[in-house]
Structures are given as C-alpha cells and as structure tokens.
Amino acid sequence: MNFFIKNCKLDKEKTDCIVVPVFDLCELSHSACYLDKCSNGYITSLIKLGDIQGKIGDTLILYKVPKIFSKRILLVGCGKKDEINKVRFKKIFKNTINILKKLSIKNIIYSFSELNINNIYWMTRVAVLSIKEFLYKVMKINNTNVDNINIDYIILDISKKHDLFIAKIALKHALAIDYAITSAKNLSNLPPNICNPLYLSSKAKELAEKYKNNIVVEVIDIKKMKELGMNAYVAVGDGAKNKPFMSVIKYSGNNIINNKTIAFVGKGLTFDSGGISIKPSFNMHEMKYDMCGAAAVYGILIMAAELNLPLKIIGILSGCENMPGGYAFRPGDVLTTMSGKTVEILNTDAEGRLVLCDSLTYLERFSPNVVIDIATLTGACVTALGESVSGLFSNNQELANQLLHASEETDDKIWSLPLFEEYQKKIISNIADFSNVGQGQAGAITAACFLSKFTEKYNWAHLDIAGTAWKSGKNGGSTGRPVELLCQFLLNQSNYIYS
Ligand code: BES
Ligand code: MN
Ligand code: ZN
C-alpha cells in the first residue's frame, strides 16, 4: 500500500472513495463544502435528513454523488472543530479504517488538511501512522499470512499548495517511523523458541547487510563476554541452553552534524522465567516480551538508517535467556561485574539490571555523550504508572527534558521518577557493593538506582517500559512503544524540527 501527497481537484479525481470531515452540528469542512457545491447541494440535502450529526464516531457513506467522479464519499464526524487533538484525530482515523476495511475499495483520498493538529507536518504524520497502526496484524506462524487489506494507495489531499513540501517530508518521516515500529512489533511478537539471543544477533547482522554504507555490527558472544569480565551478564545466561549474545550496532550518517555519539541499550531477555527464583506460571508466556527494549533499539536504528540521520548512534541489543537449571546462577551468589563493582544476588528474577549493568559499562569505550536504556525492567513500574505511561529516570535534567519534549510531541507518554539518596541506600549489601534487589517498596526506583551506579561516566536516561511495551490477552501483542518517542528524540537531535 502506497501513500501520496497531492493537491487534489476533489470533484474530478477518479477514486473509490473520498473521505471528508463533518464537524459537530452538521458543519461541513472546506472539502465537504466544495463537494457539496460541485454536486449542487446534494450533500446538504442528505445531511438535512438527519443521518449524521458530525460527532466523533458518526459516519455516512454516499454513493454516486452527482457530478463527482469518485464512486463514494465517506462523511466522517470529527466533533467540535476547535477541540480536535492528536488523540481524537487518531480515533477519527480508526473509525474510517474500520469502515473502509469492510468495503471493496482499492484507493482512497483523505481530505483532512484543514484539521488543525499543530500544523500540516503533524496532521500528515499522525494520519499516516494512525492508518498504519490500525492496519497492523500479528504475523501467524503458519504461512497463511494474507494481506490485511486490498487498498492499493491512499492520497492525502493537501488543500494549500505551499504546504505540499512539508507534507512530503512528514510522509517520509512517518513511513520510516512506521517501518521502525512495525519491525520492533514483529520481532517482539515472535515466540521465544524462534526469537532467542542468537536470533536477535542475526537480525542485527541483517542491518549491516542492508545498510552497508552506514551500519557496522559486532556480536559479542559468551566467550568474549567472559574475556571482558561481563560476569553479571554471563551469570544470567548460564542456566539456558540458548547462550547470550550482545549485538553492537554502530550507525554513522553521511553528513554528521557533530561528533557526539548517542547510545541506546535494549534489554533483550528473549525469555524470562525468573531463573531459580522462578515466576508463577500465570501469564509466564508473556515473558517472551521481555526483549521489547532490544526490539525498540533495533527499530530506531532502522529509522535512522532509512532517513540517513546526520548522527552517530550506537545500539546495543542485550540478548539473553533467564532459565533455571543445574548451571543457573543462584540467590546468594556474589558476582563481580565488568565495572569491578560486586553484586549480591537476592533474587535471580531481578536479571534485567544484571544484563544491563555490564552492557552499560561496555559502552564506556565509545565515550558516548548520551546513553538511553530501554527495558521491561520492573513489575513495580506497572504498579506505579499503569499501562499507558513509561517510567523515566535520568542523571541529567537536560536529557530528561529532551525526552519529555519528544514524548509530548508524539503522545508516547513517559513520566519522571526520582533517584533520591534515600532510595540509593536501599540497594547496599553487607557482603558486596550492592544487592540486585532493593529493600522495601519503590521497586522501579531502586532498580533504576542500581543502573545509576554503572552510568556515572555519561549523561544517562532509563525508560522502564514494563507496562507499556505490550498488551496482554488474545488480541494483545507488542505495542512498538517507545519507538516513536525515541525516533522523535533523534529527529530533534538532527535539527529536523517542523512543529
Ligand atoms: N521482566 C521482569 C519485569 C516485568 C514483570 C515486566 C512483569 C513486565 C511485567 C523483571 O525481570 C522482573 O522479573 N522483575 C522483578 C524484580 C524483583 C524480583 C525485584 C519484578 O518486577 O517483580
Ligand atoms: Mn525477571
Ligand atoms: Zn525480566
């Protein structure tokens, strides 16, 4: 399915359907008004019958409208014109897609450019990303995947010619971001017997193949990890037959604007059984999603390469499997991490921070200016913030502000939590430098405090996506979050600002 940006002569376009907004109290949008005039008031005459009010959720299909070359017009209720925001805009698109899916339609014009969500850049971007989101389907593991839709192309009608340039940039960005989100979702939705740490590393290597000029990949296997002293990472992988692999993806754009390196680390537990501190069996299968952080990193590197962002980026996929067994690490063990700091294991299910601490120390060799880790780290974060907001932790307020700004722009919500001294004390151990579990409450914060001990050499932020990375249940699956937020962060770093 393709998207086009065009300044349309709406009555003369020969498509299967033109979609136009109608506002509350039957107020016609400019495009609806234009079609109404061309058809000698046909639309107003139908609206007078009272079948559509213009509220969000209202829709009405018109066939064979006089003097209009397209086969159908779909009127879509958009509510009050001055109350439209991104959330409502997305809902409006969901309604149209649900209708269009059921009809035999091959091409569509959306004439929505007068809907004011900031500007034409955001109108276009949100439109494309919403359509893509509502058409996404989880891939079945049985070779019967059929295309979800029979739509060949969608034209976004831009009513003002001088907006065409920005709209085309927005489309380009949206397609790259969608590719990133879809790639992250597809990877995360795979079962853990297919998507294991080795598989993650093979996906990383594919990127080096595909983006030869800009991406180099190095894979650190267990032997190399041991040489490097990554004993915490290795310990987590010890119980599993599927050995750990850490993939280091190095991206460099063609016209880099500065020599700063931005690094991302994704928790890539392709399955987290809890290890010897084994998890209850209820919903344990969902721990295949414990690699969503790594999948997000994989996604954002795809976006960077697709748009050839003028940046230097390093993405680490910390692939590992946490299993019980005769070779597994134990509660009570004391591990010496790559940093030299020692950790007493109180619970083998607090494994994410162990894999991450060595990955974060490994990153020091690249002298990164900024490091962001993304992890389904704690159930406590879900208790604190629920399922629609990710946790943000940082040792640098400017970096935190940049992430909060990107979050607001994309509506991919995050919220700051503190790293006060009072919490830092909770991870002190009497036998080692730290324990891997914090005493008492505030588990999301004590986990972040643990990571903060390994990130003192650079500006660092941590996103706990335990609540937001996937939706439970039969119709659930990976959400692709926080890919859009991080893509926006990178676009802002590249000085591509259109808002
Ligand atoms: N991957 C889990 C966190 C998690 C749990 C994410 C549920 C999403 C839903 C993590 O490895 C874990 O098990 N954390 C423990 C830490 C505890 C043992 C200190 C947790 O949150 O219970
Ligand atoms: Mn765990
Ligand atoms: Zn985990």
Side-chain angles (χ1 to χ4, degrees), residues 354-392:
L354 299 171
V355 166
L356 289 175
C357 75
D358 279 342
S359 305
L360 289 162
T361 304
Y362 177 86
L363 264 175
E364 284 174 11
R365 67 190 52 216
F366 302 111
S367 309
N369 300 77
V370 165
V371 176
I372 301 168
D373 78 72
I374 304 108
T376 46
L377 201 64
T378 64
C381 192
V382 193
T383 307
L385 296 173
E387 274 142 23
S388 36
V389 182
S390 311
L392 165 68

Side-chain angles (χ1 to χ4, degrees), residues 168-182:
K168 282 180 185 165
I169 291 172
L171 172 60
K172 190 172 124 190
H173 288 184
L175 293 177
I177 293 168
D178 171 64
Y179 189 14
I181 293 174
T182 303

Side-chain angles (χ1 to χ4, degrees), residues 267 272 290 351 376:
K267 173 176 173 182
D272 176 16
D290 212 16
E351 85 299 336
T376 46

